Structure formats: structure tokens, C-alpha cells
């Protein structure tokens, strides 16, 4: 059996909703007193406060900030800083997740997963992909970032997620399809997780009911280049 599930995906890509669905399928989150929520996502982020803060530390340690990380040399995982962080990461993770089975989501894992892979054992990935347009508009509204910068983040996170998850057991989720057919997509997600050895004892219909479709069709505003990358991610990644 697979013990852990990491939900991987860009900010505003539906990772919170998918994490809650996986949780309702029967995979436990960490300590309830450590779960993070905020005004920008009233239904819940389903993130660990402790591990979000630790990902911030990792990003800052290697010259990034809370949303981005610079290109890293191939030697960064062998640095003294990485060696020191691995012990801190293991201790923090064990404090948040005290059972054998666990579910963890934080969009910054797209950036920090190479280091976490040296700390965590026996886990699979749920990789959430969403078209660039809705992500760009949501980031622009939430943070006031220029639209070109939001696009650059979307592309960088997805490219890093693909590279960092290479070789890991993986289930892919097309969040645009989830919004159109929650039950069908959750059934596919459950089937994929079960095939990877994840123990599920939850209710598929309850998990699907936690997802909400769009109140009106989203206008197709993604740049052509973003549409090509999103299409490639959805069509070609294993899952």
C-alpha cells in the first residue's frame, strides 16, 4: 500500500478543491489544529500551517520568496543548506502527520519537491493541471500581479512540477474537466489512486459533491502558448 499522497499544482489551479476531494475519499490530513484557511478561499486551503511556513523557509534559503524560486544549479541538493534543512523537514513533517497515511498539499511543492523527495518515502502524486487563463485572472485579482508575471509563474510551476515528479507514481487531474463533470472525474481519480495502492474508504459521491462547477462559462483568455502547454500536460502526462 502507498502511505502518502502529495497534491501538486500551481496556485489557483484547483489544488484545494482536489485535496478536499481526496480527503473525503478517505486519505487523512494532518493535525486539525494545523490546517490553514484564509479569506481568499473560504471553503478551505487544506494546507498545513507548519509545512507552508517551512516551504517559505526553503524558498528564502535558496534565494526565492513565497511565490517563486530562482533556477537552481544541479548541485543545490548536495549543499550544506540542503543537508541542514532535511533534518528540520523530517522533524516538522512527523509532527504534522502522526499516522502512517497522509495527504499534503501546498502549491510551492512544485518548487521544493526535489528536496522533499530526499525526505519523504512511499508516496504518490496527484498532479492538478488547469488552463492558464483562469489561473492568470485569479492571481491577478488576488495579488495584483501583472498578467504577464502570472503567466510566467503558471508556466514555471508546471514545468518544475513535471520535472520534479519524474519517476513517481502519479495520477493526473484536469481541473477544467472536474468543474464540468465532478462525479466522473472523482471516480477516475479514485480509480487512479486505488491502482497506485492508496487505501480509500470514503464516499465518492460526497467527494464529488464538495466540488463546484462554474456558474457561467469561463472566457477563453489563455495565451496561445499557454493553451499549447496546458494541452500537452493534460494529454501526455501519465495518469
Amino acid at each position: 500500500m502507498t502511505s502518502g499522497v502529495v497534491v501538486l499544482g500551481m496556485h489557483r489551479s484547483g489544488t484545494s478543491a482536489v485535496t478536499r476531494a481526496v480527503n473525503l475519499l478517505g486519505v487523512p490530513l494532518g493535525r486539525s489544529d494545523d490546517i490553514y484557511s484564509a479569506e481568499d478561499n473560504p471553503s478551505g486551503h487544506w494546507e498545513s500551517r507548519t509545512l507552508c511556513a517551512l516551504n517559505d523557509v526553503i524558498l528564502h534559503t535558496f534565494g526565492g520568496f513565497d511565490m517563486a524560486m530562482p533556477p537552481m544549479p544541479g548541485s543545490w541538493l548536495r549543499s550544506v543548506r540542503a543537508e541542514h534543512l532535511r533534518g528540520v523537514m523530517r522533524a516538522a513533517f512527523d509532527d504534522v502527520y502522526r499516522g502512517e497515511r497522509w495527504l499534503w498539499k501546498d502549491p510551492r511543492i512544485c518548487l521544493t519537491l526535489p528536496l522533499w523527495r530526499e525526505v519523504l518515502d512511499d508516496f504518490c502524486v496527484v498532479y492538478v493541471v488547469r488552463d492558464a487563463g483562469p489561473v492568470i485572472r485569479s492571481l491577478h485579482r488576488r495579488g495584483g500581479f501583472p498578467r504577464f508575471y502570472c503567466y510566467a509563474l503558471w508556466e514555471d510551476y508546471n514545468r518544475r512540477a513535471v520535472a520534479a515528479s519524474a519517476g513517481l507514481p502519479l495520477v493526473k487531474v484536469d481541473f477544467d474537466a472536474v468543474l464540468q463533470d465532478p462525479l466522473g472525474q472523482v471516480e477516475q481519480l479514485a480509480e487512479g489512486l486505488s491502482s497506485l495502492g492508496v487505501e480509500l474508504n470514503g464516499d465518492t459521491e460526497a467527494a464529488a459533491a464538495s466540488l463546484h462547477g462554474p456558474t457561467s462559462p469561463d472566457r477563453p483568455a489563455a495565451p496561445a502558448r499557454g493553451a499549447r502547454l496546458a494541452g500537452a500536460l493534460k494529454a501526455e502526462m501519465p495518469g
Side-chain angles (χ1 to χ4, degrees), residues 65-193:
F65 69 106
D66 63 351
M67 288 285 288
M69 191 175 195
M72 301 303 294
S75 60
W76 77 283
L77 295 176
R78 299 188 298 276
S79 67
V80 173
R81 288 175 292 178
E83 181 178 357
H84 171 72
L85 282 168
R86 281 192 286 269
V88 176
M89 291 159 67
R90 182 74 259 180
F93 193 89
D94 289 345
D95 183 56
V96 172
Y97 294 100
R98 298 176 180 179
E100 293 185 359
R101 299 170 63 237
W102 52 267
L103 169 62
W104 180 34
K105 167 256 177 180
D106 176 355
R108 279 87 51 80
I109 304 173
C110 292
L111 312 178
T112 62
L113 182 59
L115 190 56
W116 282 104
R117 287 188 67 167
E118 299 192 346
V119 175
L120 303 179
D121 301 310
D122 190 23
F123 69 93
C124 66
V125 168
V126 172
Y127 176 41
V128 185
V129 182
R130 190 179 191 186
D131 289 344
V135 174
I136 290 168
R137 291 191 291 276
S138 182
L139 275 178
H140 177 70
R141 287 193 301 267
R142 184 182 74 168
F145 299 115
R147 292 178 184 272
F148 73 87
Y149 180 71
C150 296
Y151 174 78
L153 284 176
W154 175 87
E155 181 172 330
D156 186 53
Y157 269 63
N158 279 292
R159 291 187 183 279
R160 290 193 191 226
V162 171
S165 60
L168 289 171
L170 181 145
V171 178
K172 179 179 57 180
V173 176
D174 176 351
F175 192 67
D176 300 292
V178 167
L179 292 176
Q180 299 301 325
D181 179 21
L183 181 57
Q185 293 298 311
V186 168
E187 288 174 343
Q188 289 186 32
L189 172 59
E191 181 180 351
L193 287 171

Side-chain angles (χ1 to χ4, degrees), residues 9-95:
M10 172 60 183
H11 298 272
R12 319 309 288 176
S13 289
T15 54
S16 296
V18 171
T19 299
R20 179 55 171 162
V22 174
N23 175 232
L24 291 170
L25 287 172
V27 186
L29 294 161
R31 301 192 332 260
S32 59
D33 64 322
D34 189 53
I35 298 297
Y36 166 75
S37 62
E39 292 181 0
D40 66 317
N41 196 345
S43 61
H45 285 277
W46 310 108
E47 296 176 0
S48 160
R49 291 180 182 274
T50 298
L51 299 182
C52 281
L54 185 48
N55 266 336
D56 279 346
V57 170
I58 295 170
L59 294 175
H60 283 85
T61 296
F62 290 100
F65 69 106
D66 63 351
M67 288 285 288
M69 191 175 195
M72 301 303 294
S75 60
W76 77 283
L77 295 176
R78 299 188 298 276
S79 67
V80 173
R81 288 175 292 178
E83 181 178 357
H84 171 72
L85 282 168
R86 281 192 286 269
V88 176
M89 291 159 67
R90 182 74 259 180
F93 193 89
D94 289 345
D95 183 56

